[in-house]
């Protein structure tokens, strides 16, 4: 059974007034989360050029949090999906499904994404670590295969004491490793090895995102055809 959560929208300038509690913090490259008590973060991940990848945005917290804010900064070329709407979705694992939530999202002039989430009934997020929202990101076809940094900045966690407070870190850096379109086995080329990888995924019915080259939702013959076309220079 699907969980149903009511999401409300409100003016971001009035939602918990997060910025009142922001403090200056030292930026940290590839932050060691074991040294941070309260923060927003993502895990490092891989993606194939021309594909859409879903970022799982997580919160680690020791304090009781009822609202949060962060800014997502993507590497040049990558962008948050905006059709039909800016693709940010509330996670269900750490929320009270009987509560109403405000989810505000806004893409800035520099391409970064501001996200603000809060319980309208002052319910705290459950647990101490895990997903609070997801963001769908488009990876362009012409991006060079490489590892690129993704930043979570301007982190503000609002505790349940009426005073918005930011905790421990102002920036978390993680990497997204981009592979060639069709490079299913991540060896840097598109070839027979990728067909073998797709065949293996089909045989064990494995949900392997990169094996779904033609974006039909599964690893199958169509993906092998797509790889063959790439090898023949038809794609």
């Amino acid at each position: 059974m699907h969980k149903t959560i009511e999401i409300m929208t409100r003016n971001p300038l009035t939602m918990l007034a997060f910025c009142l509690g922001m403090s200056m913090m030292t930026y940290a490259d590839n932050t060691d989360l074991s040294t941070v008590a309260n923060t927003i973060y993502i895990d490092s991940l891989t993606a194939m050029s021309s594909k859409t990848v879903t970022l799982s945005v997580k919160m680690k917290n020791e304090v009781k949090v009822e609202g949060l804010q962060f800014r997502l900064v993507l590497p040049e070329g990558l962008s948050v999906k905006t059709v039909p709407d800016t693709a940010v979705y509330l996670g269900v694992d750490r929320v009270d499904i009987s509560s109403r939530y405000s989810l505000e999202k806004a893409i800035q002039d520099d391409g970064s994404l501001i996200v603000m989430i809060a319980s309208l009934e002052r319910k705290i997020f459950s647990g101490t670590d895990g997903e609070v929202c997801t963001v769908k990101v488009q990876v362009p076809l012409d991006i060079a295969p490489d590892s690129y940094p993704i930043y979570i900045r301007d982190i503000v966690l609002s505790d349940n004491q009426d005073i918005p407070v930011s905790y421990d870190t102002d920036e978390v850096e993680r990497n997204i490793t981009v592979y060639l379109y069709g490079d299913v086995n991540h060896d840097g080329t598109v070839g027979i090895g990728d067909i073998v990888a797709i065949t293996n995924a089909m045989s064990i019915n494995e949900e392997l995102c990169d094996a779904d080259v033609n974006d039909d939702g599964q690893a199958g013959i169509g993906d092998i055809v797509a790889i063959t076309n790439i090898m023949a220079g038809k794609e």
Side-chain angles (χ1 to χ4, degrees), residues 142-169:
D142 58 356
I143 190 170
D146 206 343
S147 184
Y148 298 91
I150 296 178
Y151 300 100
I152 305 290
R153 292 176 174 162
D154 302 337
I155 299 167
V156 183
L157 306 183
S158 177
D159 63 21
N160 61 345
Q161 303 300 317
D162 291 321
I163 303 175
V165 179
S166 60
Y167 292 94
D168 292 330
T169 181

Side-chain angles (χ1 to χ4, degrees), residues 135-227:
V135 181
K136 289 190 178 296
V137 172
Q138 181 64 50
V139 182
L141 178 61
D142 58 356
I143 190 170
D146 206 343
S147 184
Y148 298 91
I150 296 178
Y151 300 100
I152 305 290
R153 292 176 174 162
D154 302 337
I155 299 167
V156 183
L157 306 183
S158 177
D159 63 21
N160 61 345
Q161 303 300 317
D162 291 321
I163 303 175
V165 179
S166 60
Y167 292 94
D168 292 330
T169 181
D170 192 52
E171 175 176 286
V172 172
E173 178 185 341
R174 287 293 181 262
N175 294 324
I176 180 169
T177 302
V178 178
Y179 294 94
L180 284 170
Y181 176 60
D183 183 12
V184 177
N185 66 354
H186 300 169
D187 68 353
T189 62
V190 179
I192 297 299
D194 301 300
I195 294 177
V196 172
I198 293 171
T199 303
N200 290 339
M202 292 168 59
S203 65
I204 61 177
N205 197 27
E206 181 180 358
E207 292 186 7
L208 180 61
C209 176
D210 288 348
D212 183 18
V213 180
N214 65 353
D215 286 325
D216 66 354
Q218 60 184 353
I221 298 299
D223 303 301
I224 294 177
V225 172
I227 293 295

Side-chain angles (χ1 to χ4, degrees), residues 70-189:
F70 65 89
R71 181 161 62 97
L72 174 68
V73 182
L74 298 171
E76 185 176 357
L78 274 66
S79 59
V80 176
K81 287 189 69 69
T82 56
V83 178
D85 187 17
T86 302
V88 182
Y89 304 97
L90 185 67
V92 298
D93 293 339
R94 299 200 57 192
V95 301
D96 184 333
I97 62 173
S98 66
S99 181
R100 297 177 300 159
Y101 286 81
S102 172
L103 171 60
E104 293 287 346
K105 54 207 177 180
I107 295 179
Q108 307 301 291
D109 291 341
D110 63 1
S112 63
L113 173 72
I114 298 286
V115 175
M116 294 182 285
I117 303 173
S119 166
L120 299 181
E121 298 166 354
R122 307 213 55 189
K123 300 287 184 66
I124 64 170
F125 284 84
S126 62
T128 59
D129 199 350
E131 183 179 278
V132 289
C133 71
T134 61
V135 181
K136 289 190 178 296
V137 172
Q138 181 64 50
V139 182
L141 178 61
D142 58 356
I143 190 170
D146 206 343
S147 184
Y148 298 91
I150 296 178
Y151 300 100
I152 305 290
R153 292 176 174 162
D154 302 337
I155 299 167
V156 183
L157 306 183
S158 177
D159 63 21
N160 61 345
Q161 303 300 317
D162 291 321
I163 303 175
V165 179
S166 60
Y167 292 94
D168 292 330
T169 181
D170 192 52
E171 175 176 286
V172 172
E173 178 185 341
R174 287 293 181 262
N175 294 324
I176 180 169
T177 302
V178 178
Y179 294 94
L180 284 170
Y181 176 60
D183 183 12
V184 177
N185 66 354
H186 300 169
D187 68 353
T189 62

Side-chain angles (χ1 to χ4, degrees), residues 22-44:
M22 293 185 66
S23 58
M24 294 301 293
M25 298 291 177
T26 302
Y27 280 6
D29 294 342
N30 283 301
T31 305
D32 180 359
L33 293 179
S34 67
T35 66
V36 180
N38 302 282
T39 193
I40 303 293
Y41 70 98
I42 62 171
D43 295 321
S44 294

Side-chain angles (χ1 to χ4, degrees), residues 47-84:
M48 186 181 291
S49 61
S50 86
K51 304 271 280 188
T52 298
V53 62
T54 299
L55 304 186
S56 176
V57 181
K58 302 176 181 179
M59 178 172 65
K60 176 185 177 184
N61 58 292
E62 292 182 352
V63 296
K64 294 180 179 179
V65 176
E66 64 181 33
L68 61 93
Q69 172 181 307
F70 65 89
R71 181 161 62 97
L72 174 68
V73 182
L74 298 171
E76 185 176 357
L78 274 66
S79 59
V80 176
K81 287 189 69 69
T82 56
V83 178

